[in-house]
Amino acid sequence: RPHTDGMGDKRRPNGKRVATTLVYCEAATEGGATVFPQGSPPLRFQPSTGDLLFFEYAPHPRLQLHAACPVLQGSKSTFTQWYRLGVTPEQPWDNFEDWGSFPNPYSHTRWKGPRYGKEEETNNKDEL
């Protein structure tokens, strides 16, 4: 289904997605392309294993409307990285999203260490 990953909300641009990287970990032997139907001309990217596709939403976010074509033969898996504007350790990305509540039976396993490169405070110099 055609979609965009980010539109750059002008009222609150910080924290919104501004670009996407797709790394194709496994590519289909038939089908599985990524298409951008709004371009002139429309773009069809047929990946191979190991390919990387980067696209940003500015200055024309509607041109980044994209969709994954069905895999007809083989398998396809991707690693997706979203880039966000204005995210800092003090203002993490999840402060800018309102996705509601998602049931997660594994929520007790959340990371308890420091966030985004902040060093853990310790009173014992031997632990450093």
Side-chain angles (χ1 to χ4, degrees):
R1 181 175 93 172
H3 66 281
T4 57
D5 295 333
M7 293 298 290
D9 183 347
K10 291 181 174 138
R11 293 169 289 136
R12 240 180 23 160
N14 280 353
K16 296 299 177 185
R17 298 178 198 162
V18 295
T20 297
T21 294
L22 292 173
V23 177
Y24 295 86
C25 303
E26 185 177 6
T29 52
E30 188 177 345
T34 300
V35 294
F36 294 83
Q38 298 293 323
S40 181
L43 174 68
R44 179 178 181 273
F45 180 73
Q46 184 65 52
S48 296
T49 298
D51 282 351
L52 182 143
L53 177 63
F54 173 83
F55 51 96
E56 63 181 330
Y57 314 126
H60 305 290
R62 293 302 300 162
L63 290 178
Q64 304 318 320
L65 182 77
H66 60 283
C69 295
V71 171
L72 303 175
Q73 189 172 18
S75 297
K76 175 177 135 180
S77 63
T78 61
F79 169 83
T80 303
Q81 173 69 53
W82 291 319
Y83 302 91
R84 296 172 181 270
L85 204 60
V87 173
T88 66
E90 293 74 34
Q91 291 290 319
W93 72 270
D94 49 352
N95 283 359
F96 301 100
E97 298 290 352
D98 185 17
W99 290 344
S101 176
F102 296 97
N104 179 0
Y106 304 103
S107 62
H108 66 280
T109 64
R110 290 179 185 246
W111 173 254
K112 294 180 179 49
R115 286 185 75 142
Y116 307 111
K118 281 190 167 185
E119 301 218 10
E120 245 179 311
E121 292 182 21
T122 180
N123 294 328
N124 186 347
K125 291 182 181 181
D126 294 335
E127 291 180 24
L128 295 177

